Amino acid sequence: MSDTKDLCPCGSGKLYSECCEPIIKGSAKAPTAEALMRSRYSAYVKHEIDHIAKSCVQDPDRNEIDMEETRRWSEESTWHGLKILRTEKGKENDKEGIVEFSATYTRGGLKDVHLEKAKFVKKDGEWVYHSGSLIPTTIVRDGAKVGRNDPCPCGSGLKYKKCCGR
């Protein structure tokens, strides 16, 4: 039996090496829009930002992905899990598909849920992320709130309001 640390972060229950890793590394194509979505989530968890960029529609008229901010979000977040909420089309013989999903993570002491309805299209026989619309959620603080007069959590010895709380 495999160790749970070898399981794919996408929640499929499969080994990472047999699930999302081949898609992320480019040795296999995502057979469905959902498989690409799962690989993109796993890429955030594993900090494989190049896969995030390569799996987007390449269109000169659209804004390019902010690689530095994407890398920062990936590395500064603790990823808690992916849930596929709904799929529409996106199978092997389709040309487009929708994957509605939630990705839970903690960043900067705040636990959040990234809830998105993502559109995928097939370009030259490969699934790529086209666009997405975010569904707003409430952010929940993961730890205790730092008060203005509390010691600053950065360890400076100053009050929060005189340090990082400015």
Side-chain angles (χ1 to χ4, degrees), residues 63-82:
N63 290 338
E64 290 293 319
I65 187 171
D66 184 337
M67 293 292 284
E68 193 52 42
E69 180 54 33
T70 302
R71 184 174 315 284
R72 193 173 11 263
W73 185 34
S74 168
E75 293 173 354
E76 291 176 359
S77 297
T78 301
W79 299 92
H80 303 294
L82 172 71

Side-chain angles (χ1 to χ4, degrees), residues 35-54:
L36 183 62
M37 179 59 246
R38 289 181 176 279
S39 75
R40 288 171 57 84
Y41 172 80
S42 293
Y44 277 105
V45 174
K46 299 285 189 176
H47 316 305
E48 297 279 359
I49 304 310
D50 289 342
H51 176 65
I52 302 298
K54 288 177 186 172

Side-chain angles (χ1 to χ4, degrees), residues 64-164:
E64 290 293 319
I65 187 171
D66 184 337
M67 293 292 284
E68 193 52 42
E69 180 54 33
T70 302
R71 184 174 315 284
R72 193 173 11 263
W73 185 34
S74 168
E75 293 173 354
E76 291 176 359
S77 297
T78 301
W79 299 92
H80 303 294
L82 172 71
K83 288 183 187 170
I84 303 297
L85 305 173
R86 183 180 74 84
T87 61
E88 182 182 311
K89 297 184 181 179
K91 303 292 184 211
E92 292 185 47
N93 295 323
D94 292 325
K95 299 288 185 211
E96 59 183 41
I98 301 288
V99 179
E100 195 170 313
F101 68 94
S102 68
T104 308
Y105 66 97
T106 302
R107 182 179 183 195
L110 297 175
K111 189 171 188 178
D112 197 4
V113 177
H114 178 92
L115 188 56
E116 182 177 341
K117 182 177 179 182
K119 179 180 179 184
F120 294 85
V121 296
K122 215 176 223 184
K123 294 271 187 182
D124 301 322
E126 291 192 44
W127 284 106
V128 290
Y129 174 85
H130 181 272
S131 59
S133 54
L134 295 178
I135 301 165
T137 59
T138 302
I139 297 174
V140 179
R141 189 175 308 280
D142 202 29
K145 182 178 179 183
V146 179
R148 291 176 34 82
N149 291 315
D150 291 340
C152 191
C154 77
S156 67
L158 298 172
K159 287 183 178 184
Y160 179 69
K161 68 182 178 185
K162 296 284 187 179
C163 190
C164 295

